[in-house]
Amino acid sequence: MRLKLDRHAALSVTGWLAAGLLFFPIAWMLLTSVKTEIEAVATTPSLIFTPTLENYVAVQERADYLKFALNSVVVSFGSTLLALALAVPAAYGMAFFPTKRTRGTLLWMLSTKMMPPVGALVPVTLVFRDLGLIDTLAGLVVVYALINLPIVVWMLYTFFREIPREILEAGRMDGATPLDELRFLLLPLALPGMASTGLLAVILTWNEAFWSLNLTAAHAGPLTAFIASFSAPEGLFWAKLSAASTMAVAPILVFGWLSQRQLVRGLTFGAVK
Amino acid sequence: MNQPIKGGRGVNALPFVAPSVVILFVWMIVPLVMTLWFSFQRYNLLSPELSGFVGLSNYSFLLTDPSLWIAMANTLLLVGGVLAITVVGGTLLAVLFDQDFFGSKVARLLAIAPFFVMPTVSALIWKNLLMHPVNGVSAAIARALGLQPVDWFGQWPLFSVTIIVAWQWLPFALLILLTALQSLDHEQKEAARMDGAGPLAIFWYIVLPHMGRAIKVVVMIETIFFLSIFAEIYTTTGGGPGLASTNLTYLIYLRALLEFDVGTASAGGVIAIVLANIVAAFLVRSIARNLDA
């Protein structure tokens, strides 16, 4: 009994130590965000200070912060909706009316995801320039919808496959057409799966930085670009950087925590469940 | 279970699937063909009048340019370094967090948090708050211990980037491997314990083999992502000092968007595509095997 208790205590200490180390940078960012700029750069960091919200106020007051945040929201939700609109019918078709080409199609979709973005950097930049899509929200929405489309199709496909066929059979007996089936039976049943698929797409888009840094400038930049702009001047605005970072990270952290299970399925294309 | 419905009354799924397939095909093939095409052209956006077909000279220029080989070596070091840290660390953490301990659920949430931090934020937090040679936490700790603070990005640029990326991806490995671990039959472990197997033997002969496939998936998915590391370099070192932390992705970015050299950048893009495809072939095959199961 004694030994068991000791083991449990040792395990708890090790576990919390590991978690604490991994979480430390985020905790430090939170702490710095409520310091004054002078305290934030003190060479001997203090743990005892009067917390202030002035950095959050200052960041909010920067006219462009809200614009960047709004861009992030528009781009991540817009691209997710577009990807879902394309992917729901595709996943439905492949999950419920499979042909001998279905397997190949799924794997091919997966393989398009393997294309390194930098391989497409030059063409996409040039095409976007010619179409006037550089630094526009529409351009980013399209790019992210396409980038996430394979993952979204795959995740929806695995969710659709888990829906009991008997329910659909019954609907069919009652004379439901495939479209009725999709609307009245499948969508309600698949809603939880679609929600977590959408959540993953939002998370991935919100945090993506290759295309957002390369395709935007002052107008359509999302929060990834806003934060990156803090790296340019050598002025030490660490407290404000921390406040802006906290606001950029917080919503996605909550989303991520809520959807960690489904995330594994989506990120490994169903290979690990 | 889950048999496809037989005799779908001749339902043709093509109209459902076609839009996604066509759009993805265009999204893949247009950039691919253009990149290939440009890689055989002399084309600089600053002097477009000099354009024309130049055969393989972009490739020979790149392949004889030492910066490509430096970037390749950096890419390998970066991918290899982060892989080693995340796979070994992720396996140990997964075993740790698979146990029940005081507040283990909350601790687990804290441990996976870094994965949800956007790359530009994590890069700047590490660069300034943690690794800054004067005002950073690491400098304060070094001084407290009577040591000389390390100028991380000056002295160890690639290693510093490796640490940042590893911090972001350790939770990913943990999350995937923990999921795999939780599907392990606990009776099997119990039986082994009854037979007198120690914790190390159980880990080596039962846990590790069970996680083998998940580890493989983690390695391949991470490799695909790590070949394209960009934001962490962009916001910290800018590839420097010199080319010390420039990987292949960053080199192509430099050529394309800073020097406007479309031809050479495209040739580099083709090389990146070939590299990624070698890894992708293994990954797709491993996932395909699972699709039937």
Side-chain angles (χ1 to χ4, degrees), chain A residues 12 16 22 28 41 43 86 89 103 119 123 146 161 172 207 214 224 227 238 257 260-261 267 270-271 273, chain B residues 2 5 16 20 23 35 102 109 116 118-120 124 128 135 137 143 167 182 213 221 253 257 288 290 292:
Chain A
S12 303
W16 276 95
L22 278 168
W28 197 252
V41 295
T43 45
L86 286 165
R103 200 182 120 91
L146 289 170
R161 295 278 294 173
R172 198 161 294 174
N207 286 345
N214 280 317
T224 42
I227 301 292
W238 289 7
W257 277 338
Q260 42 167 322
R261 277 247 145 225
L267 291 169
K273 277 182 200 152
Chain B
N2 276 355
I5 299 170
F16 294 110
S20 288
I23 288 177
T35 302
F102 176 74
L109 286 181
F116 304 115
M118 58 174 66
T120 47
L124 283 184
N128 294 327
N135 311 82
V137 173
R143 274 193 303 269
W167 176 72
Q182 283 167 344
R213 225 178 58 85
I221 291 177
Y253 156 81
L257 294 193
N290 192 60
D292 306 312

Side-chain angles (χ1 to χ4, degrees), chain B residues 96-114:
Chain B
L96 178 62
F97 284 107
D98 189 36
Q99 330 268 331
D100 265 322
F101 56 82
F102 176 74
S104 54
K105 288 219 166 61
V106 180
R108 202 179 299 162
L109 286 181
L110 293 183
I112 63 168

Side-chain angles (χ1 to χ4, degrees), chain B residues 210-228:
Chain B
H210 174 81
M211 289 165 82
R213 225 178 58 85
I215 290 178
K216 223 166 75 186
V217 171
V218 167
V219 167
M220 289 183 291
I221 291 177
E222 287 193 345
T223 306
I224 299 279
F225 278 98
F226 295 166
L227 286 173
S228 301

Side-chain angles (χ1 to χ4, degrees), chain B residues 8 42 55 60 68 73 77 82 84 119 141 145 154 193 205 213 234 242 271 282:
Chain B
R42 182 212 306 270
S60 61
L68 175 79
L77 283 174
V82 184
I141 293 173
L145 296 175
R193 199 168 297 143
Y205 292 107
R213 225 178 58 85
Y234 176 92
I271 294 174
F282 286 104

Side-chain angles (χ1 to χ4, degrees), chain B residues 15-37:
Chain B
F16 294 110
V17 184
S20 288
V21 170
V22 170
I23 288 177
L24 263 184
F25 185 73
V26 171
W27 166 245
M28 187 199 68
I29 207 73
V30 170
L32 190 62
V33 169
M34 283 177 75
T35 302
L36 265 175
W37 169 257

